[in-house]
PDB file of all heavy atoms in Angstrom:
ATOM      1  N   GLU A  34    -129.110-227.678  92.541  1.00  0.00           N
ATOM      2  CA  GLU A  34    -129.635-229.020  92.073  1.00  0.00           C
ATOM      3  C   GLU A  34    -128.465-229.776  91.449  1.00  0.00           C
ATOM      4  O   GLU A  34    -128.250-229.697  90.361  1.00  0.00           O
ATOM      5  CB  GLU A  34    -130.751-228.785  91.106  1.00  0.00           C
ATOM      6  CG  GLU A  34    -131.934-228.060  91.695  1.00  0.00           C
ATOM      7  CD  GLU A  34    -133.031-227.989  90.718  1.00  0.00           C
ATOM      8  OE1 GLU A  34    -133.554-228.872  90.159  1.00  0.00           O
ATOM      9  OE2 GLU A  34    -133.347-226.682  90.326  1.00  0.00           O
ATOM     10  N   LEU A  35    -127.784-230.570  92.304  1.00  0.00           N
ATOM     11  CA  LEU A  35    -126.598-231.266  91.965  1.00  0.00           C
ATOM     12  C   LEU A  35    -126.694-232.758  92.181  1.00  0.00           C
ATOM     13  O   LEU A  35    -126.973-233.170  93.320  1.00  0.00           O
ATOM     14  CB  LEU A  35    -125.365-230.602  92.622  1.00  0.00           C
ATOM     15  CG  LEU A  35    -123.978-231.220  92.252  1.00  0.00           C
ATOM     16  CD1 LEU A  35    -123.716-231.017  90.815  1.00  0.00           C
ATOM     17  CD2 LEU A  35    -122.986-230.594  93.139  1.00  0.00           C
ATOM     18  N   THR A  36    -126.481-233.610  91.158  1.00  0.00           N
ATOM     19  CA  THR A  36    -126.276-234.987  91.368  1.00  0.00           C
ATOM     20  C   THR A  36    -124.729-235.379  91.212  1.00  0.00           C
ATOM     21  O   THR A  36    -124.146-234.795  90.394  1.00  0.00           O
ATOM     22  CB  THR A  36    -126.985-235.794  90.155  1.00  0.00           C
ATOM     23  OG1 THR A  36    -128.378-235.310  90.140  1.00  0.00           O
ATOM     24  CG2 THR A  36    -126.930-237.291  90.308  1.00  0.00           C
ATOM     25  N   VAL A  37    -124.391-236.294  92.112  1.00  0.00           N
ATOM     26  CA  VAL A  37    -122.930-236.529  92.126  1.00  0.00           C
ATOM     27  C   VAL A  37    -122.770-237.932  91.733  1.00  0.00           C
ATOM     28  O   VAL A  37    -123.420-238.869  92.190  1.00  0.00           O
ATOM     29  CB  VAL A  37    -122.461-236.369  93.563  1.00  0.00           C
ATOM     30  CG1 VAL A  37    -120.969-236.772  93.711  1.00  0.00           C
ATOM     31  CG2 VAL A  37    -122.547-234.753  94.173  1.00  0.00           C
ATOM     32  N   GLU A  38    -121.749-238.177  90.810  1.00  0.00           N
ATOM     33  CA  GLU A  38    -121.307-239.415  90.532  1.00  0.00           C
ATOM     34  C   GLU A  38    -119.790-239.639  90.742  1.00  0.00           C
ATOM     35  O   GLU A  38    -119.106-238.683  90.875  1.00  0.00           O
ATOM     36  CB  GLU A  38    -121.513-239.660  88.905  1.00  0.00           C
ATOM     37  CG  GLU A  38    -123.000-239.536  88.544  1.00  0.00           C
ATOM     38  CD  GLU A  38    -123.164-239.669  87.010  1.00  0.00           C
ATOM     39  OE1 GLU A  38    -122.256-239.603  86.243  1.00  0.00           O
ATOM     40  OE2 GLU A  38    -124.334-239.710  86.582  1.00  0.00           O
ATOM     41  N   GLY A  39    -119.388-240.858  90.896  1.00  0.00           N
ATOM     42  CA  GLY A  39    -117.948-241.092  91.178  1.00  0.00           C
ATOM     43  C   GLY A  39    -117.772-241.031  92.642  1.00  0.00           C
ATOM     44  O   GLY A  39    -118.799-241.164  93.505  1.00  0.00           O
ATOM     45  N   THR A  49    -116.215-228.095  94.438  1.00  0.00           N
ATOM     46  CA  THR A  49    -117.151-228.117  93.280  1.00  0.00           C
ATOM     47  C   THR A  49    -118.458-227.420  93.485  1.00  0.00           C
ATOM     48  O   THR A  49    -118.828-226.457  92.629  1.00  0.00           O
ATOM     49  CB  THR A  49    -117.344-229.554  92.877  1.00  0.00           C
ATOM     50  OG1 THR A  49    -116.117-230.173  92.547  1.00  0.00           O
ATOM     51  CG2 THR A  49    -118.212-229.665  91.621  1.00  0.00           C
ATOM     52  N   LEU A  53    -119.784-223.991  91.411  1.00  0.00           N
ATOM     53  CA  LEU A  53    -120.976-223.971  90.807  1.00  0.00           C
ATOM     54  C   LEU A  53    -122.006-222.917  91.413  1.00  0.00           C
ATOM     55  O   LEU A  53    -122.692-222.247  90.650  1.00  0.00           O
ATOM     56  CB  LEU A  53    -121.715-225.352  90.883  1.00  0.00           C
ATOM     57  CG  LEU A  53    -120.997-226.543  90.069  1.00  0.00           C
ATOM     58  CD1 LEU A  53    -121.737-227.845  90.421  1.00  0.00           C
ATOM     59  CD2 LEU A  53    -120.852-226.146  88.708  1.00  0.00           C
ATOM     60  N   ARG A  91    -129.458-224.248  85.804  1.00  0.00           N
ATOM     61  CA  ARG A  91    -130.152-225.522  85.658  1.00  0.00           C
ATOM     62  C   ARG A  91    -129.603-226.639  86.543  1.00  0.00           C
ATOM     63  O   ARG A  91    -128.433-226.441  86.992  1.00  0.00           O
ATOM     64  CB  ARG A  91    -130.252-225.783  84.204  1.00  0.00           C
ATOM     65  CG  ARG A  91    -130.989-224.810  83.419  1.00  0.00           C
ATOM     66  CD  ARG A  91    -131.128-225.215  81.928  1.00  0.00           C
ATOM     67  NE  ARG A  91    -129.824-225.472  81.101  1.00  0.00           N
ATOM     68  CZ  ARG A  91    -129.197-224.583  80.414  1.00  0.00           C
ATOM     69  NH1 ARG A  91    -129.741-223.382  80.395  1.00  0.00           N
ATOM     70  NH2 ARG A  91    -128.227-224.887  79.849  1.00  0.00           N
ATOM     71  N   PRO A  92    -130.208-227.745  86.666  1.00  0.00           N
ATOM     72  CA  PRO A  92    -129.684-228.817  87.390  1.00  0.00           C
ATOM     73  C   PRO A  92    -128.382-229.349  86.609  1.00  0.00           C
ATOM     74  O   PRO A  92    -128.257-229.268  85.617  1.00  0.00           O
ATOM     75  CB  PRO A  92    -130.861-230.005  87.337  1.00  0.00           C
ATOM     76  CG  PRO A  92    -132.118-229.194  87.090  1.00  0.00           C
ATOM     77  CD  PRO A  92    -131.702-227.982  86.322  1.00  0.00           C
ATOM     78  N   ALA A  93    -127.475-229.866  87.554  1.00  0.00           N
ATOM     79  CA  ALA A  93    -126.214-230.437  87.057  1.00  0.00           C
ATOM     80  C   ALA A  93    -125.923-231.778  87.593  1.00  0.00           C
ATOM     81  O   ALA A  93    -126.377-232.156  88.735  1.00  0.00           O
ATOM     82  CB  ALA A  93    -125.112-229.463  87.351  1.00  0.00           C
ATOM     83  N   THR A  94    -125.013-232.488  86.907  1.00  0.00           N
ATOM     84  CA  THR A  94    -124.487-233.666  87.433  1.00  0.00           C
ATOM     85  C   THR A  94    -122.852-233.514  87.317  1.00  0.00           C
ATOM     86  O   THR A  94    -122.334-233.132  86.357  1.00  0.00           O
ATOM     87  CB  THR A  94    -124.855-234.893  86.463  1.00  0.00           C
ATOM     88  OG1 THR A  94    -126.322-235.074  86.419  1.00  0.00           O
ATOM     89  CG2 THR A  94    -124.212-236.243  86.938  1.00  0.00           C
ATOM     90  N   ALA A  95    -122.308-233.808  88.481  1.00  0.00           N
ATOM     91  CA  ALA A  95    -120.832-233.773  88.660  1.00  0.00           C
ATOM     92  C   ALA A  95    -120.247-235.224  88.755  1.00  0.00           C
ATOM     93  O   ALA A  95    -120.745-235.826  89.659  1.00  0.00           O
ATOM     94  CB  ALA A  95    -120.495-232.897  89.729  1.00  0.00           C
ATOM     95  N   ASP A  96    -119.365-235.503  87.783  1.00  0.00           N
ATOM     96  CA  ASP A  96    -118.766-236.840  87.785  1.00  0.00           C
ATOM     97  C   ASP A  96    -117.289-236.672  88.186  1.00  0.00           C
ATOM     98  O   ASP A  96    -116.595-236.027  87.572  1.00  0.00           O
ATOM     99  CB  ASP A  96    -118.826-237.372  86.374  1.00  0.00           C
ATOM    100  CG  ASP A  96    -118.443-238.830  86.342  1.00  0.00           C
ATOM    101  OD1 ASP A  96    -118.044-239.452  87.368  1.00  0.00           O
ATOM    102  OD2 ASP A  96    -118.359-239.446  85.306  1.00  0.00           O
ATOM    103  N   PHE A  97    -116.989-237.302  89.372  1.00  0.00           N
ATOM    104  CA  PHE A  97    -115.647-237.026  89.887  1.00  0.00           C
ATOM    105  C   PHE A  97    -114.680-238.247  89.619  1.00  0.00           C
ATOM    106  O   PHE A  97    -115.131-239.404  89.704  1.00  0.00           O
ATOM    107  CB  PHE A  97    -115.797-237.037  91.534  1.00  0.00           C
ATOM    108  CG  PHE A  97    -116.379-235.745  91.957  1.00  0.00           C
ATOM    109  CD1 PHE A  97    -117.690-235.602  91.844  1.00  0.00           C
ATOM    110  CD2 PHE A  97    -115.580-234.694  92.417  1.00  0.00           C
ATOM    111  CE1 PHE A  97    -118.362-234.257  92.399  1.00  0.00           C
ATOM    112  CE2 PHE A  97    -116.210-233.552  92.955  1.00  0.00           C
ATOM    113  CZ  PHE A  97    -117.562-233.404  92.918  1.00  0.00           C
ATOM    114  N   VAL A 106    -113.348-233.195  87.547  1.00  0.00           N
ATOM    115  CA  VAL A 106    -114.690-233.193  87.686  1.00  0.00           C
ATOM    116  C   VAL A 106    -115.395-232.764  86.308  1.00  0.00           C
ATOM    117  O   VAL A 106    -114.996-231.677  85.708  1.00  0.00           O
ATOM    118  CB  VAL A 106    -115.332-232.200  88.759  1.00  0.00           C
ATOM    119  CG1 VAL A 106    -116.794-232.337  88.873  1.00  0.00           C
ATOM    120  CG2 VAL A 106    -114.461-232.454  90.101  1.00  0.00           C
ATOM    121  N   GLU A 107    -116.215-233.515  85.727  1.00  0.00           N
ATOM    122  CA  GLU A 107    -116.961-233.313  84.570  1.00  0.00           C
ATOM    123  C   GLU A 107    -118.359-232.830  84.979  1.00  0.00           C
ATOM    124  O   GLU A 107    -118.956-233.714  85.477  1.00  0.00           O
ATOM    125  CB  GLU A 107    -116.920-234.472  83.533  1.00  0.00           C
ATOM    126  CG  GLU A 107    -115.583-234.870  83.041  1.00  0.00           C
ATOM    127  CD  GLU A 107    -114.999-233.827  82.097  1.00  0.00           C
ATOM    128  OE1 GLU A 107    -115.748-233.292  81.394  1.00  0.00           O
ATOM    129  OE2 GLU A 107    -113.800-233.661  82.220  1.00  0.00           O
ATOM    130  N   VAL A 108    -118.739-231.667  84.606  1.00  0.00           N
ATOM    131  CA  VAL A 108    -120.037-231.173  85.137  1.00  0.00           C
ATOM    132  C   VAL A 108    -120.948-231.178  83.789  1.00  0.00           C
ATOM    133  O   VAL A 108    -120.514-230.371  82.844  1.00  0.00           O
ATOM    134  CB  VAL A 108    -119.970-229.789  85.701  1.00  0.00           C
ATOM    135  CG1 VAL A 108    -121.342-229.271  86.167  1.00  0.00           C
ATOM    136  CG2 VAL A 108    -119.042-229.895  86.944  1.00  0.00           C
ATOM    137  N   ARG A 109    -122.070-231.773  83.734  1.00  0.00           N
ATOM    138  CA  ARG A 109    -123.099-231.607  82.803  1.00  0.00           C
ATOM    139  C   ARG A 109    -124.197-230.897  83.274  1.00  0.00           C
ATOM    140  O   ARG A 109    -124.980-231.392  84.261  1.00  0.00           O
ATOM    141  CB  ARG A 109    -123.377-233.099  82.352  1.00  0.00           C
ATOM    142  CG  ARG A 109    -122.214-233.777  81.619  1.00  0.00           C
ATOM    143  CD  ARG A 109    -122.616-235.177  81.214  1.00  0.00           C
ATOM    144  NE  ARG A 109    -123.297-236.012  82.137  1.00  0.00           N
ATOM    145  CZ  ARG A 109    -122.703-236.730  83.205  1.00  0.00           C
ATOM    146  NH1 ARG A 109    -121.459-236.642  83.375  1.00  0.00           N
ATOM    147  NH2 ARG A 109    -123.449-237.473  83.910  1.00  0.00           N
ATOM    148  N   PHE A 110    -124.561-229.916  82.640  1.00  0.00           N
ATOM    149  CA  PHE A 110    -125.810-229.080  83.055  1.00  0.00           C
ATOM    150  C   PHE A 110    -126.907-229.573  82.032  1.00  0.00           C
ATOM    151  O   PHE A 110    -126.843-229.823  80.948  1.00  0.00           O
ATOM    152  CB  PHE A 110    -125.599-227.571  82.733  1.00  0.00           C
ATOM    153  CG  PHE A 110    -124.497-227.042  83.732  1.00  0.00           C
ATOM    154  CD1 PHE A 110    -123.284-226.721  83.174  1.00  0.00           C
ATOM    155  CD2 PHE A 110    -124.746-226.737  84.945  1.00  0.00           C
ATOM    156  CE1 PHE A 110    -122.270-226.222  84.023  1.00  0.00           C
ATOM    157  CE2 PHE A 110    -123.784-226.076  85.802  1.00  0.00           C
ATOM    158  CZ  PHE A 110    -122.579-225.879  85.296  1.00  0.00           C
ATOM    159  N   ALA A 111    -128.178-229.602  82.679  1.00  0.00           N
ATOM    160  CA  ALA A 111    -129.382-230.035  81.919  1.00  0.00           C
ATOM    161  C   ALA A 111    -129.548-228.999  80.701  1.00  0.00           C
ATOM    162  O   ALA A 111    -129.451-227.909  80.867  1.00  0.00           O
ATOM    163  CB  ALA A 111    -130.616-230.085  82.813  1.00  0.00           C
ATOM    164  N   THR A 116    -119.678-229.897  78.093  1.00  0.00           N
ATOM    165  CA  THR A 116    -119.417-230.172  79.491  1.00  0.00           C
ATOM    166  C   THR A 116    -118.296-229.270  80.054  1.00  0.00           C
ATOM    167  O   THR A 116    -117.408-228.994  79.404  1.00  0.00           O
ATOM    168  CB  THR A 116    -118.840-231.589  79.492  1.00  0.00           C
ATOM    169  OG1 THR A 116    -119.750-232.482  78.873  1.00  0.00           O
ATOM    170  CG2 THR A 116    -118.511-232.144  80.947  1.00  0.00           C
ATOM    171  N   LEU A 117    -118.652-228.796  81.279  1.00  0.00           N
ATOM    172  CA  LEU A 117    -117.599-228.037  82.004  1.00  0.00           C
ATOM    173  C   LEU A 117    -116.554-228.949  82.759  1.00  0.00           C
ATOM    174  O   LEU A 117    -116.966-229.820  83.543  1.00  0.00           O
ATOM    175  CB  LEU A 117    -118.275-227.107  83.045  1.00  0.00           C
ATOM    176  CG  LEU A 117    -117.425-226.307  84.057  1.00  0.00           C
ATOM    177  CD1 LEU A 117    -116.531-225.421  83.355  1.00  0.00           C
ATOM    178  CD2 LEU A 117    -118.289-225.530  85.092  1.00  0.00           C
TER     179      LEU A 117
END
Side-chain angles (χ1 to χ4, degrees):
E34 294 180 61
L35 182 63
T36 302
V37 175
E38 297 176 352
T49 299
L53 295 177
R91 300 187 297 270
T94 300
D96 188 5
F97 288 80
V106 187
E107 296 291 323
V108 180
R109 295 179 311 279
F110 296 101
T116 300
L117 171 62

